[in-house]
Protein backbone atom coordinates (compact mmCIF):
# COMPACT_ATOMS: atom_id res chain seq x y z
CA UNK A 1 0.00 0.00 0.00
CA UNK A 2 1.04 3.57 -0.73
CA UNK A 3 -0.42 6.41 1.33
CA UNK A 4 -0.54 9.93 -0.09
CA UNK A 5 -0.97 12.68 2.51
CA UNK A 6 -2.31 16.10 1.62
CA UNK A 7 -0.34 18.13 4.15
CA UNK A 8 -2.66 21.09 4.69
CA UNK A 9 -5.95 21.52 6.49
CA UNK A 10 -7.08 24.71 4.75
CA UNK A 11 -10.57 24.40 3.30
CA UNK A 12 -10.56 24.59 -0.48
CA UNK A 13 -6.77 24.27 -0.58
CA UNK A 14 -5.01 24.10 -3.93
CA UNK A 15 -2.84 21.19 -2.80
CA UNK A 16 -5.79 18.80 -3.08
CA UNK A 17 -5.86 18.65 -6.91
CA UNK A 18 -2.14 17.81 -6.90
CA UNK A 19 -2.62 15.06 -4.30
CA UNK A 20 -5.53 13.63 -6.30
CA UNK A 21 -3.43 13.68 -9.48
CA UNK A 22 -0.59 11.85 -7.70
CA UNK A 23 -3.10 9.20 -6.56
CA UNK A 24 -4.45 8.90 -10.12
CA UNK A 25 -0.95 8.51 -11.60
CA UNK A 26 0.07 5.93 -8.98
CA UNK A 27 -3.12 3.94 -9.58
CA UNK A 28 -2.42 3.87 -13.32
CA UNK A 29 1.18 2.70 -12.80
CA UNK A 30 0.83 0.28 -9.88
CA UNK A 31 -1.29 -2.59 -8.71
CA UNK A 32 -0.76 -1.52 -5.10
CA UNK A 33 -3.59 -0.07 -3.05
CA UNK A 34 -3.32 3.73 -2.94
CA UNK A 35 -4.83 5.66 -0.01
CA UNK A 36 -5.29 9.41 0.30
CA UNK A 37 -5.29 11.14 3.68
CA UNK A 38 -6.66 14.67 3.61
CA UNK A 39 -5.73 16.66 6.72
CA UNK A 40 -8.58 19.02 5.84
CA UNK A 41 -10.95 16.29 7.06
CA UNK A 42 -9.05 15.52 10.24
CA UNK A 43 -11.23 16.38 13.26
CA UNK A 44 -9.89 19.43 15.10
CA UNK A 45 -10.00 17.55 18.42
CA UNK A 46 -7.47 15.05 17.01
CA UNK A 47 -4.62 17.53 17.49
CA UNK A 48 -4.37 18.74 21.08
CA UNK A 49 -1.75 19.02 23.81
CA UNK A 50 -2.64 15.61 25.29
CA UNK A 51 -1.88 13.84 22.01
CA UNK A 52 1.75 13.30 23.03
CA UNK A 53 0.85 10.48 25.41
CA UNK A 54 -0.59 7.13 24.29
CA UNK A 55 -3.67 7.66 26.47
CA UNK A 56 -4.35 11.05 24.90
CA UNK A 57 -4.19 9.98 21.27
CA UNK A 58 -7.36 10.70 19.33
CA UNK A 59 -9.39 7.78 18.00
CA UNK A 60 -9.29 9.46 14.54
CA UNK A 61 -5.48 9.38 14.57
CA UNK A 62 -5.40 5.80 15.85
CA UNK A 63 -7.78 4.75 13.08
CA UNK A 64 -5.62 6.42 10.40
CA UNK A 65 -2.55 4.70 11.81
CA UNK A 66 -4.17 1.28 11.75
CA UNK A 67 -5.87 1.59 8.36
CA UNK A 68 -3.59 3.75 6.22
CA UNK A 69 -0.21 4.46 7.80
CA UNK A 70 1.10 1.30 9.47
CA UNK A 71 0.11 -1.03 6.60
CA UNK A 72 1.78 1.29 4.04
CA UNK A 73 5.16 0.58 2.57
CA UNK A 74 5.48 4.17 1.33
CA UNK A 75 4.19 7.58 2.39
CA UNK A 76 4.09 10.47 -0.05
CA UNK A 77 3.60 13.96 1.38
CA UNK A 78 2.10 16.64 -0.85
CA UNK A 79 2.33 19.96 0.98
CA UNK A 80 2.30 23.64 0.12
CA UNK A 81 5.19 25.90 1.05
CA UNK A 82 4.35 28.40 3.77
CA UNK A 83 7.03 31.02 4.42
CA UNK A 84 9.86 28.68 3.47
CA UNK A 85 8.49 25.70 5.39
CA UNK A 86 5.59 23.26 5.48
CA UNK A 87 2.24 23.72 7.26
CA UNK A 88 2.21 23.42 11.03
CA UNK A 89 -0.71 20.99 10.87
CA UNK A 90 1.53 18.54 9.00
CA UNK A 91 4.11 18.71 11.80
CA UNK A 92 1.35 18.21 14.38
CA UNK A 93 0.02 15.24 12.41
CA UNK A 94 3.46 13.61 12.28
CA UNK A 95 3.85 14.23 16.03
CA UNK A 96 0.42 12.73 16.69
CA UNK A 97 1.16 9.50 14.81
CA UNK A 98 4.57 9.11 16.41
CA UNK A 99 3.15 8.35 19.87
Amino acid sequence: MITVINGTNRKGNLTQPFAEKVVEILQSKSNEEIRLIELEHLPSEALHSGMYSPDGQSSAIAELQDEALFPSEKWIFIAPEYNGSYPGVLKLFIDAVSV
Side-chain angles (χ1 to χ4, degrees), residues 25-72:
I25 291 168
L26 289 171
Q27 288 173 332
S28 72
K29 306 252 181 230
S30 174
N31 292 328
E32 288 187 69
E33 179 183 357
I34 312 297
R35 299 284 305 262
L36 175 61
I37 294 177
E38 303 166 57
L39 296 186
E40 177 180 348
H41 300 294
L42 194 64
S44 59
E45 66 272 1
L47 304 173
H48 56 84
S49 61
M51 71 183 188
Y52 297 106
S53 72
D55 295 336
Q57 188 180 53
S58 145
S59 61
I61 296 291
E63 184 178 322
L64 282 175
Q65 283 179 330
D66 294 342
E67 293 179 6
L69 296 173
F70 291 160
S72 291

